[in-house]
Amino acid sequence: MSLADLTQASLSRVASAATAEELEAIRVEVLGRKGTLANLSKDFGKLSPEERAAFGKDLNAAKQSLESAFDARKAGFDSAALTARLDAEWLDLTIPPAGQRPGSLHPLTQIQREIEQLFTSLGFAVLDGPEVESEYNNFDALNIPAEHPARDMQDTFWLDGGFCLRTHTSPVQVRGMKLLKPPFRMIAPGRVFRNEEVDASHEHTFYQLEGMMVDRNVSVANLIYFMKTLLSGIFGREVTVRLRPGYFPFVEPGFELDIQCLLCDGAGCPVCKQSGWVELLPCGLVHPNVLRLGGIDPEEWNGFAFGLGMTRLVMMRYGIEDIRQLQGGDLRFLKQF
Ligand code: DAH
């Protein structure tokens, strides 16, 4: 085969090679040390000097054109391979790693943090109290002496030595009055315990958030303002509230604060039992006895207090129908939040 024919035939084989391996095989066959091109130059010695010069030139030109054809094809295969690999192996950095999933905050924790943020922005300190509390702080200091019938309102887990599992967060008021000098504002979120028969709406363990503000000339109007601010913040919209008289020994006057039902805007629906109102927040002006027992002169200072049922609030906000789901530890439930 002449050099020109060989070059032509090889170039078209290069052009039609289907894979990088096939291309490489052709390269070895044509340009390799024992390839067809090398074979052709074997007879070099038999040529005359003029023929040798001319043939050498042709040979080099053929070699160069073949090499650049090979290189171009090779580059084509390489980049196609790279593209295919990038398509197959691309890395999505937004996919969470398999196995451990990022956790999420429990809905109670979420709501607690929101309320804390809101109240700290209003100048309230966030206090913590122990879950095992003295009988004195849980009851007596809140104007509920032994034998007071109000003790029966809260089924209590009694412990030895004058202690109990706190039945409400109100004892943190007692601690707050000793810790902070008036004027002060404080909230105290936390876990409380009642010796309850457990069902869809009663748990032996639930969460409250206590609030107390002590200053000069605190009025019910101040109380309403803060409660409206709190509830509007939590529900993300303006809420309408009303006060009804309510009895708690540690406040006087004491109220049940209702909000106009957010589902029916007061028209009446199953959630508000057709009344248009939902009972949400017991509160009142701090009883002078409580201030006195807390070392604060009720002639000079007064204040308001409230006890928000955080568990109840979470259930309302997310439409949770069974209180037991909140502490049940079922991840399928918790992962929704
Ligand atoms: N401690 C009460 C309870 O758990 C709730 C409560 C009512 C707290 C009135 C208050 C308040 O601070 O002023 O039943």
Side-chain angles (χ1 to χ4, degrees):
M1 203 194 277
S2 77
L3 178 60
D5 288 347
L6 175 71
T7 309
Q8 250 346 95
S10 302
L11 282 174
S12 69
R13 285 180 69 195
V14 167
S16 60
T19 64
E21 290 72 31
E22 193 183 328
L23 180 71
E24 176 61 13
I26 299 169
R27 194 188 66 78
V28 171
E29 188 187 321
V30 179
L31 289 172
R33 273 198 307 128
K34 292 177 187 162
T36 33
L37 215 56
N39 233 9
L40 271 184
S41 45
K42 259 197 200 143
D43 304 328
F44 221 54
K46 296 180 192 152
L47 299 174
S48 69
E50 297 78 36
E51 284 172 328
R52 209 182 289 169
F55 187 60
K57 225 172 126 197
D58 290 349
L59 204 62
N60 265 336
K63 208 171 156 188
Q64 261 166 28
S65 79
L66 280 167
E67 271 170 354
S68 63
F70 275 114
D71 288 349
R73 239 12 270 278
K74 174 104 172 30
F77 280 123
D78 285 351
S79 86
L82 183 64
T83 307
R85 198 172 147 201
L86 288 176
D87 279 348
E89 296 180 7
W90 65 291
L91 186 63
D92 183 349
L93 294 172
T94 66
I95 295 177
Q100 268 181 358
R101 297 257 150 186
S104 59
L105 294 176
H106 192 283
L108 271 161
T109 310
Q110 291 182 28
I111 221 163
Q112 179 180 328
R113 291 196 181 175
E114 276 173 41
I115 300 173
E116 284 179 3
Q117 209 159 20
L118 192 77
F119 272 99
T120 46
S121 80
L122 296 170
F124 283 71
V126 181
L127 297 191
D128 210 1
E131 292 170 350
V132 171
E133 187 51 282
S134 67
E135 176 179 357
Y136 177 81
N137 283 346
N138 196 81
F139 292 113
D140 302 68
L142 291 165
N143 204 27
I144 318 174
E147 316 310 332
H148 193 293
R151 287 210 179 185
D152 293 342
M153 290 161 65
Q154 303 184 348
D155 287 316
T156 308
F157 288 113
W158 288 104
L159 305 170
D160 290 342
F163 290 93
C164 62
L165 294 183
R166 65 176 179 190
T167 56
H168 49 181
T169 43
S170 302
V172 192
Q173 288 187 29
V174 179
R175 295 173 176 275
M177 286 186 287
K178 297 200 172 133
L179 194 72
L180 308 165
K181 294 265 166 294
F184 67 82
R185 303 169 183 191
M186 52 148 280
I187 55 167
R191 210 151 55 141
V192 302
F193 310 87
R194 300 266 173 103
N195 196 346
E196 298 266 11
E197 194 85 53
V198 173
D199 62 26
S201 47
H202 296 88
E203 256 289 17
H204 49 68
T205 303
F206 53 98
Y207 286 76
Q208 291 187 338
L209 185 132
E210 195 76 14
M212 187 186 215
M213 168 169 162
V214 172
D215 208 320
R216 295 186 165 91
N217 305 315
V218 175
S219 69
V220 174
N222 297 141
L223 169 63
I224 293 174
Y225 167 79
F226 279 102
M227 297 304 96
K228 275 193 81 157
T229 307
L230 163 68
L231 296 169
S232 302
I234 290 169
F235 291 109
R237 55 186 268 201
E238 195 70 25
V239 295
T240 307
V241 305
R242 75 172 183 191
L243 294 183
R244 284 180 295 117
Y247 176 67
F248 303 93
F250 33 94
V251 282
E252 178 58 35
F255 306 107
E256 292 286 356
L257 185 144
D258 300 338
I259 61 167
Q260 194 167 68
C261 182
L262 296 169
L263 290 176
C264 64
D265 282 323
C269 71
V271 167
C272 61
K273 301 194 189 87
Q274 307 304 332
S275 73
W277 297 91
V278 179
E279 182 180 315
L280 201 61
L281 195 79
C283 54
L285 297 185
V286 181
H287 196 291
N289 285 352
V290 173
L291 291 171
R292 213 172 283 122
L293 289 166
I296 294 172
D297 178 5
E299 298 296 327
E300 189 181 356
W301 304 99
N302 75 333
F304 67 69
F306 61 91
L308 179 69
M310 273 209 294
T311 303
R312 181 97 191 284
L313 197 66
V314 168
M315 291 175 72
M316 271 193 56
R317 180 153 99 170
Y318 295 111
I320 298 165
E321 281 166 2
D322 192 327
I323 193 173
R324 292 167 289 195
Q325 290 189 296
L326 282 167
Q327 310 285 330
D330 187 336
L331 290 179
R332 289 168 305 177
F333 169 75
L334 292 172
K335 272 180 182 163
Q336 301 173 81
F337 300 97

